[in-house]
Amino acid sequence: MSDESRPYRTAAVIPAAGRGVRLGPGAPKALRALSGTPMLIHAVRAMAASRAVSLVVVVAPPDGAPEVKNLLDAHALPERTDFLVVAGGDTRQESVRLGLEALPDNISVVLVHDAARPLVPVDTVDAVIEAVRDGAPAVVPALPLADTVKEVEPKEKGEPEPVVATPERARLRAVQTPQGFDRDTLVRAHGTVAVNGEGATDDAGMVEQLGVPVVVVPGHEEAFKVTRPLDLVLAEAVLARRRANDGF
């Protein structure tokens, strides 16, 4: 199929089956409230804010799909976007694979987005999609590092760790989501790279193991991952600023 006739329909897969233990006891991380609304809903809205995204697939905890579907039904979501909830697996990779299997045949571009990155701006989402449509098989948004990074020899927790090397900071990037892929490339990665394979900590890493090139587009400081309680404070501040400035 030529580039001119290819439909380029885009879907976003949001794995939301993790419990987020670093945020402490309670509800799974994706269901924690942010300004009164679960983080998952913020993340779904962030994907649906892109007019290029026609479908959002939320991958729920294995026994939590009905609860997550009820959650989506209870919140206002863009009518132009379809939403689907499927049960996930025991690992993030398995959950993404199950989300991929639920996609209709006419989807050619797939985004994979962390539910714990609820505030990614739509411009970042669109930049990732555009790069895939322009021919990149795999795209990640990322930011330059502000801190110097040290490679160390790991030791037991609390013990001093010898420095092995200091990578050149100008060549390093902190990767965010959504990560974007040509669908066939991502399906092949999940079908051929072992879930517990060495070195693959995200979907782009799995694609790299295939020998397929991955490119970086500029990320955004508001696309940070909510992992610890202090991140929730920062996220609340970002939402308060958006409401004040934009009526968000």
Side-chain angles (χ1 to χ4, degrees), residues 35-162:
S35 288
T37 300
M39 277 200 293
L40 175 60
I41 298 300
H42 287 285
V44 169
R45 287 173 174 166
M47 296 298 98
S50 171
R51 293 188 175 275
V53 174
S54 58
L55 171 67
V56 176
V57 178
V58 178
V59 187
D63 57 353
E67 178 186 3
V68 171
K69 186 178 187 307
N70 290 338
L71 190 69
L72 294 185
D73 290 341
H75 289 82
L77 299 171
E79 293 183 359
R80 68 173 182 271
T81 307
D82 292 329
F83 301 93
L84 178 65
V85 178
V86 299
D90 294 330
T91 66
R92 185 183 186 280
Q93 287 90 342
E94 185 179 358
S95 292
V96 173
R97 179 181 59 78
L98 291 169
L100 283 173
E101 291 178 355
L103 297 179
D105 292 340
N106 62 356
I107 296 295
S108 58
V109 177
V110 181
L111 304 179
V112 181
H113 184 58
D114 295 332
R117 297 184 190 270
L119 304 179
V120 57
V122 67
D123 287 350
T124 302
V125 180
D126 287 341
V128 171
I129 296 170
E130 182 178 358
V132 178
R133 288 180 169 182
D134 285 345
V139 180
V140 297
L143 292 175
L145 297 184
D147 299 318
T148 297
V149 175
K150 300 290 185 182
E151 182 182 352
V152 301
E153 180 70 31
K155 298 294 183 182
E156 294 296 325
K157 185 176 181 180
E159 292 187 16
E161 298 176 323

Side-chain angles (χ1 to χ4, degrees), residues 5 23-25 79 83 95 108 122 158 170 173 188 191 193 195 215 242:
S5 61
L23 277 176
E79 293 183 359
F83 301 93
S95 292
S108 58
V122 67
R173 298 291 183 269
R188 184 158 62 95
V193 177
V195 169
V215 301
R242 287 184 181 182

Side-chain angles (χ1 to χ4, degrees), residues 200-211:
T201 58
D202 63 359
D203 295 277
M206 296 175 69
V207 169
E208 288 174 49
Q209 290 191 25
L210 296 178

